[in-house]
Structure formats: structure tokens, C-alpha cells
Amino acid sequence: MVLHSDIDLLNPPKEFDARRHKRKRLVQSPNSFFMDVKCQGCFNITTVFSHSQSVVLCGSCSAVLCTPTGGKARLTEGCSFRKKAD
């Protein structure tokens, strides 16, 4: 466990900085991201926002890929994803 007195505030470790609020980090960055989601039925890849506020359907087979929650979207069981590169 890392104590607050043992941390260099000018160069905090990535793990410590990632757990902080998005506005209190050394360099502000959002928690949201875009991701490629692979459909479990037809293996079609669709780009989805991580905090989407509507139900996302597959373009070819109309299967539900993710459903909204209060924050991040919840992926359907069996769907795989990867973060999009910057």
C-alpha cells in the first residue's frame, strides 16, 4: 500500500493517477472511450461509445449489443470488445 506521504506529487504513478477523479488528475483526461464490439451471432464489428445512452443494435442481424445504465453501457453476454486506438 502506498501512503500519501510517500508519493512524488510531480510524477505520480499511473495506478495512483488512474484512480483519481477525471478533473483532479495531473493531466485531465476523460473516463469514456470508443470501442469495437463484435456481435456474437454474425461476428460483425460495430463502433460503440462506452457511455452510450441508448440501446445499440447490430447493423446486420439487429441483435442487442449493449444497453444503457446510469453510467457506462452494459455489454450483452457473449459480446467481446476492444478499445479503439487514439
Side-chain angles (χ1 to χ4, degrees):
M1 181 175 173
V2 178
L3 299 175
H4 289 289
S5 61
D6 295 341
I7 295 173
D8 181 13
L9 296 176
L10 292 177
N11 302 309
K14 284 189 173 185
E15 303 84 33
F16 179 74
D17 211 26
R19 284 185 281 131
R20 299 184 86 181
H21 188 268
K22 64 182 180 180
R23 309 250 354 238
K24 295 188 179 187
R25 295 183 185 136
L26 191 61
V27 176
Q28 293 181 6
S29 61
N31 293 330
S32 57
F33 53 91
F34 286 94
M35 55 186 171
D36 286 332
V37 179
K38 187 187 292 186
C39 179
Q40 61 196 10
C42 64
F43 302 110
N44 191 19
I45 294 177
T46 308
T47 302
V48 177
F49 187 59
S50 64
H51 289 69
S52 63
Q53 296 180 348
S54 60
V55 175
V56 178
L57 302 174
C58 178
S60 59
C61 68
S62 299
V64 176
L65 296 178
C66 66
T67 54
T69 61
K72 288 189 176 180
R74 176 172 289 132
L75 290 176
T76 307
E77 275 190 48
C79 289
S80 58
F81 78 98
R82 69 170 180 214
K83 283 188 180 182
K84 291 278 254 191
D86 292 338

